[in-house]
Amino acid sequence: MLEAIVHGILLAFGLILPLGVQNIFVFNQGALQPRFRRVVPVVLTAAVCDTLLIAAAVGGISLVLLSVEWVTPIVYGAGILFLCIMGWKIWNAAPGEGDGEARVLSLKGQVGYALSVSLLNPHALLDTVGVIGTNSLQYTGDERWAFAAAAAGISWMWFLSLAAAGRVLGRLDSSGRVIRLLNTVSALLIWGIALYMGVQLWRSF
């Protein structure tokens, strides 16, 4: 049981640490919201989505999806389009002088955007289904669900920490310059990921 828990923790950390659309959104909302409690809906939505994806993958959906030959190209193609759009939105999200509140989303906007970057994010889907789901196959019964719970627990702690870090930066960076720089770099990284996925998709044909 302990081995499964440690495995789940280490694997989840390895998958969630790289900068991606979901992490960028949670961090940015932490930085832009006037109070930490205003970013809680984003954290809850992202964490619940990750938990549901992990539970579905560990429950066996990963085997079904990976056994269908045409699923992966479709996921990659949709993912490339999604990343290009998200990169463009983030690129244009950097506030200009004096309009630092322009990207503070409403509750509905926060939840809707968090759902999109969590459930339509190709990396989240492929990592959860392809990596966590596959790794869980070496365990059975309670050990498999302990593995899943450990992985999901890391998501909850990570998103809370990310939002808190964004909040600290937001309070220190009253001019918004660091946020604008972060958005620019984030958009370039996201477009780079989309390009990399495009090359992989091309090579698969």
Side-chain angles (χ1 to χ4, degrees):
M1 183 74 75
L2 180 60
E3 179 185 349
I5 292 173
V6 172
H7 184 188
I9 291 172
L10 294 178
L11 183 62
F13 260 125
L15 293 176
I16 206 169
L17 281 176
L19 191 64
V21 184
Q22 193 181 37
N23 286 344
I24 291 167
F25 178 66
V26 173
F27 184 87
N28 281 358
Q29 284 301 299
L32 292 172
Q33 292 295 338
R35 291 181 176 83
F36 184 77
R37 67 172 181 267
R38 295 283 298 276
V39 77
V40 170
V42 171
V43 173
L44 291 178
T45 303
V48 168
C49 287
D50 268 21
T51 301
L52 293 176
L53 287 174
I54 290 170
V58 172
I61 286 183
S62 59
L63 286 179
V64 176
L65 292 178
L66 292 175
S67 65
V68 181
E69 190 172 317
W70 51 265
V71 167
T72 299
I74 289 179
V75 171
Y76 265 82
I80 291 167
L81 178 62
F82 171 77
L83 288 175
C84 289
I85 294 171
M86 287 298 104
W88 178 252
K89 287 187 175 183
I90 291 171
W91 178 272
N92 290 305
E97 295 297 335
D99 65 346
E101 297 300 314
R103 297 300 298 174
V104 177
L105 300 178
S106 64
L107 174 60
K108 183 178 179 181
Q110 287 183 59
V111 173
Y113 209 102
L115 283 171
S116 71
V117 298
S118 299
L119 299 180
L120 300 179
N121 182 353
H123 273 184
L125 294 174
L126 292 172
D127 286 348
T128 304
V129 173
V131 180
I132 293 180
T134 303
N135 274 264
S136 71
L137 297 178
Q138 61 189 282
Y139 304 109
T140 58
D142 291 341
E143 285 191 339
R144 177 177 292 185
W145 291 110
F147 169 85
I154 293 302
S155 289
W156 285 82
M157 289 187 293
W158 175 253
F159 291 130
L160 277 170
S161 301
L162 206 56
R167 178 65 184 140
V168 171
L169 177 62
R171 295 182 68 179
L172 295 175
D173 179 39
S174 58
S175 68
R177 290 178 182 175
V178 175
I179 297 299
R180 289 195 294 274
L181 177 60
L182 175 65
N183 283 349
T184 301
V185 173
S186 297
L188 292 174
L189 285 172
I190 289 170
W191 284 331
I193 293 170
L195 178 61
Y196 175 72
M197 290 180 65
V199 171
Q200 287 185 311
L201 180 60
W202 177 262
R203 288 177 177 175
S204 68
F205 290 120

